[in-house]
Amino acid sequence: MTITPPALSVFESLESEVRSYCRGWPAVFDRAQGARLTDEDGHSYLDFFAGAGSLNYGHNNPVLKRALIDYIERDGITHGLDMATTAKRAFLETFQNVILRPRDLPYKVMFPGPTGTNAVEAALKLARKVKGRESIVSFTNAFHGMSLGSLAVTGNAFKRAGAGIPLVHGTPMPFDNYLDGRVPDFLWFERLLEDQGSGLNKPAAVIVETVQGEGGINVARAEWLRALADLCRRRDMLLIVDDIQMGCGRTGAFFSFEEAGIVPDIVTVSKSISGYGLPLSLCLFKGELDVWEPGEHNGTFRGNNPAFVTATAALDAYWADGQMEKHTLARGEQVEQALLALCTEHGRLGASYRGRGLVWGLEFADPARASEVCARAFELGLLLETSGPQSEVVKLLPPLTITPEELDEGLRTLARAVAATV
């Protein structure tokens, strides 16, 4: 496919230099359906990015679109603050019956604002309020959002530097396998907690991703997560799981922590919870932690009723019968086998892969190669992005609803892109 760079004059002249994804994908997109986008010149692209994980059910999913159109056409509430509405009631009842009760999860639901970082900020604020302490422990290569509280528990130096002020009250600890298995899990963390001379203020909470997406697709072992949950319990710290990108079925189960058999105190959810790419986020927490005063934490756009509508439709369509998890795990095995073959064929590149469900990373010994692969993939009609502290990992994040044939097409295109950069 030959792609002519589009006329981007208005984007380049008027839009801020802060834009990023569009630089790697120089096209003006016009339409999208399922796992494909089409630009204004008619070129089709297979999407292995899925809105950074906010489109788990694909673009313009017909089931969700029908529910949304019907709601809009009957003049359903759009903006609702935290008022009670029929759309919110339907979502809460469905979330309780389809997700929480079958998993015996004791969570209250808070709508903190429209984005993932809003949910993280609420979680951090709540943990500090409950415990009466300021310090939060996070992990190396973590990413939790771009607002100041979230940045304070984010590892990436480039993103942290953008804050322009000191980021305080957060302490990083080694993520699973950060020290290549040479040090027992949590040895450093435990020692700091028990040593009165360590200088570590007793934390209110620990925040963790079960799979670090922006950090390079770093997968925490189930036993490591169980040990972390036990450490938090023994040391009177709340455990916050950031499930913003890895939740809503991305790793297989609806919540990414289910495999480990743990029940976090607080869980943040966003991205694909609306199912349609509409802004919505949740902060879930155990009932005894619900110590908020009315209005103590609020936001103008936390009542996005069209997002409640599509979220309810997504839960009913994809999570009521248990088939989505099986489908995702099967597609994940398909990806794993393809990446194994690719790394074997191009062994001299020093490439390796890792992942769970339908989130995978292909890491190169030469960090620059990952960006080259993504650029070539775009030329071949496949949207991919990089992750990791040096952008050394090609990140695969296709819609969960992708067909086996589409997935195979994308994986073959990835293989061609890798071969073209050798």
Side-chain angles (χ1 to χ4, degrees):
M1 177 170 57
T2 301
I3 299 174
T4 302
L8 297 173
S9 57
V10 69
F11 305 106
E12 294 172 345
S13 64
L14 190 59
E15 193 177 358
S16 167
E17 291 298 319
V18 78
R19 63 194 190 281
S20 60
Y21 296 122
C22 59
R23 298 180 188 276
W25 304 328
V28 178
F29 296 103
D30 182 49
R31 291 173 289 114
Q33 209 287 315
R36 297 185 187 275
L37 294 93
T38 305
D39 68 19
E40 62 181 353
D41 296 322
H43 298 121
S44 177
Y45 302 82
L46 196 55
D47 187 2
F48 268 31
F49 187 60
S54 62
L55 295 166
N56 281 3
Y57 312 107
H59 296 268
N60 286 305
N61 182 290
V63 175
L64 313 189
K65 181 168 64 175
R66 185 70 264 162
L68 179 59
I69 290 172
D70 289 347
Y71 183 76
I72 292 172
E73 286 185 337
R74 73 169 184 82
D75 291 331
I77 298 291
T78 295
H79 182 273
L81 294 167
D82 67 358
M83 295 184 293
T85 66
T86 55
K88 183 196 281 190
R89 180 174 60 199
F91 169 73
L92 286 170
E93 290 175 347
T94 303
F95 190 70
Q96 182 178 51
N97 293 332
V98 175
I99 302 300
L100 296 181
R101 278 181 179 160
R103 294 162 177 80
D104 197 25
L105 293 173
Y107 294 139
K108 297 289 288 291
V109 180
M110 175 184 178
F111 300 105
T115 72
T117 197
N118 297 134
V120 170
E121 296 284 357
L124 300 180
K125 184 189 287 189
L126 179 61
R128 288 168 170 141
K129 180 178 174 65
V130 168
K131 291 299 182 183
R133 309 175 205 139
E134 297 178 355
S135 178
I136 304 289
V137 166
S138 58
F139 291 95
T140 49
N141 289 312
F143 179 79
H144 296 290
M146 298 296 284
S147 51
L148 292 180
S150 300
L151 278 176
V153 290
T154 286
N156 186 281
F158 173 73
K159 292 180 173 63
R160 289 175 62 89
I165 62 171
L167 297 169
V168 296
H169 309 305
T171 303
M173 292 291 166
F175 191 71
D176 190 14
N177 205 41
Y178 184 74
L179 299 172
D180 300 320
R182 293 172 294 177
V183 177
D185 295 339
F186 307 113
L187 176 66
W188 174 241
F189 194 177
E190 290 258 28
R191 185 76 180 105
L192 290 179
L193 288 170
E194 65 191 21
D195 183 3
Q196 297 300 306
S198 70
L200 175 66
N201 294 329
K202 187 171 183 178
V206 175
I207 185 168
V208 67
E209 303 154 275
T210 64
V211 180
Q212 294 182 326
E214 296 303 308
I217 317 301
N218 305 313
V219 182
R221 294 167 295 141
E223 55 265 36
W224 186 87
L225 291 169
R226 286 192 289 269
L228 176 60
D230 179 66
L231 173 61
C232 288
R233 179 187 54 78
R234 288 187 288 105
R235 296 291 184 173
D236 187 33
M237 302 177 295
L238 297 179
L239 176 60
I240 305 169
V241 168
D242 181 340
D243 231 10
I244 288 165
Q245 188 168 88
M246 297 304 153
C248 302
R250 176 54 58 180
T251 63
F254 186 85
F255 293 110
S256 69
F257 56 80
E258 291 182 53
E259 180 189 37
I262 63 174
V263 179
D265 298 293
I266 304 175
V267 182
T268 59
V269 180
S270 187
K271 290 194 182 286
S272 274
I273 187 62
S274 82
Y276 203 72
L278 298 175
L280 180 65
S281 72
L282 315 178
C283 186
L284 311 175
F285 41 81
K286 293 179 178 177
E288 63 268 24
L289 303 181
D290 194 7
V291 298
W292 294 113
E293 296 290 335
E296 189 175 7
H297 188 90
N298 56 26
T300 303
F301 293 102
R302 66 196 186 282
N304 187 355
N305 282 256
F308 293 148
V309 171
T310 55
T312 302
L315 295 178
D316 280 333
Y318 294 103
W319 292 99
D321 61 4
Q323 293 305 305
M324 176 55 77
E325 180 175 353
K326 296 177 183 178
H327 174 89
T328 299
L329 294 176
R331 298 290 76 76
E333 292 177 4
Q334 186 179 348
V335 175
E336 185 174 12
Q337 291 304 310
L339 293 181
L340 171 62
L342 194 156
C343 290
T344 300
E345 180 179 356
H346 300 287
R348 62 186 180 279
L349 295 179
S352 60
Y353 64 92
R354 52 187 177 264
R356 279 179 60 195
L358 270 178
V359 52
W360 290 85
L362 177 64
E363 181 177 2
F364 292 93
D366 176 7
R369 192 174 298 279
S371 295
E372 293 171 3
V373 168
C374 289
R376 181 56 181 150
F378 172 77
E379 295 172 354
L380 296 171
L382 176 66
L383 301 186
L384 290 167
E385 253 295 335
T386 60
S387 70
Q390 301 180 72
S391 297
E392 73 277 19
V393 178
V394 174
K395 183 179 184 180
L396 282 67
L397 208 68
L400 306 184
T401 52
I402 194 168
T403 67
E405 294 75 20
E406 289 172 325
L407 189 57
D408 182 63
E409 176 189 341
L411 292 168
R412 284 188 279 106
T413 303
L414 170 62
R416 289 174 60 197
V418 171
T421 63
V422 173

